[in-house]
Every structure is written in structure tokens, then in C-alpha cells.
Amino acid sequence: MNEQELIDTAKKLVAADKGLLAMDESNPTCNKRFAKLGIPQTVEARRAYRELIVTTPGLGEFISGAILYDETIRQQKKDGTPFVKIFGDAGIIPGIKVDTGAKDMASHPGEKITEGLDGLRDRLKEYFQLGARFAKWRAVISAGEGSPSRACIEANAHALARYAALCQEAGLVPIVEPEVLMDGDHTLERCFDVSEEVLGTVFTQLYTQRVMLEGIILKPNMVLPGLTCPKQEGVDEVADATVKCLLRSVPAAVPGIAFLSGGQSAELASARLNAMNVRFKSRLPWPLAFSFARAIQQPALEIWKGDEANVHAAQQALYHRARCNRAARRGGYSIAMEKT
Ligand code: 13P
């Protein structure tokens, strides 16, 4: 492991008020999103959609790194140029999702454990050769009635830490993503408590597995009420709760925090990130950035709909969301930006 290279990569991922573009949907997830919009669920449709993203002019002004999926990191533009090369030329660091998905956890109905540790060392070696310099692993935790269990939190935190150690050994910065899901009617306070417990456990495990904290990026959920909770707090309350939870749980050595969007609307995700930076930026030990998939891509996907004629308009929508999120990092986003 070259510690300095890991530290440098991690810093680059959150430098210059940029953020990460997550385009690492597995084939089943990508197909599900395509099916909803009547887009054919084929390798070629997925490739064409990824080409649209990768070739969006100017994306590198706002995006520091892109998280790819196994199929995508091997794909090329129609003219044969590898996606990884196009990103490299745009100054965007390629990353790779390496977990193999969240599976039902034995003896814990309704809970999930993320798999993918078997054979990971060899897969990481190959991804490094293909050009990846960071990786991602997502654990999913539900905040339901009677969940999460300690077993679910500990098993997922342990897997995240073992993944992170293997990534650093292979020269890849691990994005550590423990996601407390928005699904359900739990309150913001409940999300706070669960997120605090999960993050505390994750950092204990990272310490135990000797992960170098200066060489990771944390990708957490924002602290939010469940989607069907009758009480939906405002943007500032969400910002306050999220920052309070992170300050309690995340060591100052971590070089950056890049939020997932988790099913929030694109505008709300930008507004909430903006509020955190407006209220706290100068007082935090780490930068607060973004690593959104749906909150950056969804408007573009809905415009594209699988039709070549819509590529330009879809790229404009993608560029716009990336620009809004960089503004949110600076505390300069406002709803007025949505009209430009
Ligand atoms: P969302 O921003 O859509 O929640 O996706 C996050 C993610 O983990 C994809 O890498």
C-alpha cells in the first residue's frame, strides 16, 4: 500500500468543491429504472445511456470521480474509446462498485447483509489495472419497527471494514457507504439514533481492521424522516441533525464526506447539502460533498427515454444537476438556479 497515493486520491475526490457521480447501478437496478420509462433493457441500451453520461461536455468542472459498475468499466463509446479513457481525459477519476449486493440476512427477517468479500483481493487487482483508483461498497440498514438488530449493524460494519482494508492494500480508496434507508414511517429522531449507532460501529470496525482513515471517503445518508413519516422537517432542521450526528461519529482524520441521495428529489438533495454548507462549512473538520446517483441522473434519464434525439437535452440536464451540486458545496445553491 502506498499511503501517500491513497491520501492524495481521497483528497482529489473532494477537492475544488466537486463531487462524485455514481453511475454504478447493477444491471438489474439499471433495467428496473429503464423498464419504468419504457427503455429496452439490453446491454446496448445500457451502454448508450452510459455513453451519454460519460460524454457530457464540461462534466469535469463539477465532478471529481465517477463510480462505475463491472459492465461499465469495460465498455466503450461507439467509436471504440474506452469510457475510462474519456473520464481520464476529462480529469474525472474512475471508481468501481465492488460489493455483490445486499442479500437477506439469515435469522433476521427483513434485514440485509452486503456480500462480496470472497475473491475480492483478485477483483481489486484487476480493477486497478483497468484504471480504477477508488471503490465503493454499500451496506443497507432499515430503520423499521424492531430493526436494525445489533447483528445486522455489526455484520455490515465488519464487512465494510474488511472491504476497506483490502481496497487500501490494492491501492484503491474505499468509499465506505453505510446507508440508513429512507423507506418507512420512522421519525427524523429515529434516523438520527440509528445513523449514530451505525456510524459508531463502522468506525470501531475500521479501527479494528487497521484501515487508514486519511485514505477513505465516507458516504453516509443524510439524517431524514422516513418517506411516509407524517412529520417532514424543513431543510435547515435536516441540515442541523445531519451535521450533529456526523460530528458525534466521524473522526476528523477522514478527508471527506460525500452523501448518497437515497431517493430524495434532485432539488431537495441539493437544497439540504447547501443548507449544511451555509450553516456549518467553516466549522467542520471535513468537507461535505455529494456522491449522488438518482439525484444527479434521474432528470437526464427521464429526458433521454432511450431516444438518440434526446441525448443533447439529457446531457444538459445532467450538467445542470452537477452544477447545482457544486453550488451546494459552496453554499451558493438556490431554487432560482433551477430556472436557468
Ligand atoms: P443514490 O444517490 O441514488 O442513493 O445512490 C447512491 C449510491 O450508492 C450509488 O452509488
Side-chain angles (χ1 to χ4, degrees):
M1 172 193 350
N2 182 329
E3 288 199 0
Q4 196 53 51
E5 274 176 23
L6 290 170
I7 293 169
D8 291 346
T9 303
K11 281 189 184 152
K12 273 188 215 150
L13 289 173
V14 289
D17 294 321
K18 297 183 191 181
L20 304 177
L21 165 62
M23 47 182 290
D24 61 326
E25 299 81 12
S26 63
N27 291 345
T29 301
C30 191
N31 287 345
K32 231 189 284 165
R33 290 183 191 160
F34 279 13
K36 268 193 194 153
L37 295 167
I39 302 168
Q41 294 110 67
T42 61
V43 184
E44 177 47 29
R46 290 194 298 272
R47 194 209 59 76
Y49 176 56
R50 265 66 184 252
E51 175 167 338
L52 177 163
I53 296 177
V54 172
T55 58
T56 295
L59 208 55
E61 295 167 41
F62 317 118
I63 300 297
S64 56
I67 315 174
L68 305 169
Y69 179 62
D70 185 74
E71 177 179 84
T72 327
I73 198 169
R74 303 167 197 280
Q75 279 175 329
Q76 295 124 20
K77 247 177 82 175
K78 260 229 160 91
D79 70 7
T81 319
F83 287 167
V84 171
K85 175 163 181 349
I86 301 169
F87 274 139
D89 292 347
I92 296 173
I93 304 172
I96 180 79
K97 166 197 173 82
V98 300
D99 66 68
T100 54
K103 308 284 161 57
D104 290 340
M105 188 166 161
S107 304
H108 293 79
E111 298 199 280
K112 302 276 183 194
I113 174 72
T114 299
E115 295 187 348
L117 287 171
D118 287 355
L120 181 57
R121 176 176 272 135
D122 292 337
R123 289 196 290 130
L124 293 175
K125 260 189 219 148
E126 190 198 1
Y127 288 137
F128 187 94
Q129 279 160 7
L130 288 169
R133 289 296 175 269
F134 70 100
K136 189 205 92 164
W137 178 293
R138 171 173 172 261
V140 292
I141 312 280
S142 59
E145 193 68 30
S147 69
S149 62
R150 255 330 274 173
C152 175
I153 295 174
E154 282 179 18
N156 275 296
H158 178 79
L160 272 169
R162 287 189 54 204
Y163 138 82
L166 282 163
C167 283
Q168 292 191 334
E169 178 189 276
L172 298 163
V173 169
I175 307 279
V176 175
E177 181 179 5
E179 174 176 7
V180 178
L181 296 170
M182 286 170 72
D183 304 320
D185 62 357
H186 56 271
T187 61
L188 174 137
E189 290 78 14
R190 173 82 178 134
C191 180
F192 183 103
D193 291 344
V194 173
S195 301
E196 186 182 15
E197 183 179 357
V198 167
L199 289 170
T201 310
V202 166
F203 279 100
T204 302
Q205 284 291 334
L206 290 172
Y207 173 78
T208 305
Q209 299 297 328
R210 300 185 180 162
V211 174
M212 181 193 43
L213 293 187
E214 292 83 354
I216 73 164
I217 298 289
L218 178 71
K219 175 164 172 169
N221 53 282
M222 296 182 192
V223 174
L224 302 169
L227 279 171
T228 53
C229 176
K231 187 172 175 211
Q232 293 289 320
E233 280 77 1
V235 163
D236 288 349
E237 286 154 295
V238 165
D240 290 0
T242 303
V243 168
K244 183 175 175 185
C245 183
L246 293 171
L247 280 170
R248 284 190 181 183
S249 321
V250 184
V254 171
I257 295 177
F259 292 103
L260 59 93
S261 60
Q264 305 175 63
S265 74
E267 288 86 358
L268 256 184
S270 299
R272 286 164 170 163
L273 177 62
N274 185 68
M276 285 180 231
N277 280 312
V278 166
R279 293 161 86 79
F280 301 103
K281 185 172 181 159
S282 61
R283 291 182 277 149
L284 298 176
W286 4 252
L288 295 182
F290 56 92
S291 175
F292 298 155
R294 282 162 287 179
I296 287 188
Q297 285 186 45
Q298 195 59 27
L301 181 61
E302 285 170 14
I303 292 170
W304 178 58
K305 288 202 195 77
D307 187 342
E308 178 75 29
N310 299 331
V311 166
H312 180 64
Q315 288 183 328
Q316 283 183 321
L318 189 72
Y319 180 87
H320 171 69
R321 286 264 52 88
R323 183 168 165 266
C324 286
N325 288 312
R326 187 193 54 179
R329 279 209 56 184
R330 295 178 165 170
Y333 170 81
S334 75
I335 203 71
M337 275 187 86
E338 302 296 350
K339 297 190 180 79
T340 57

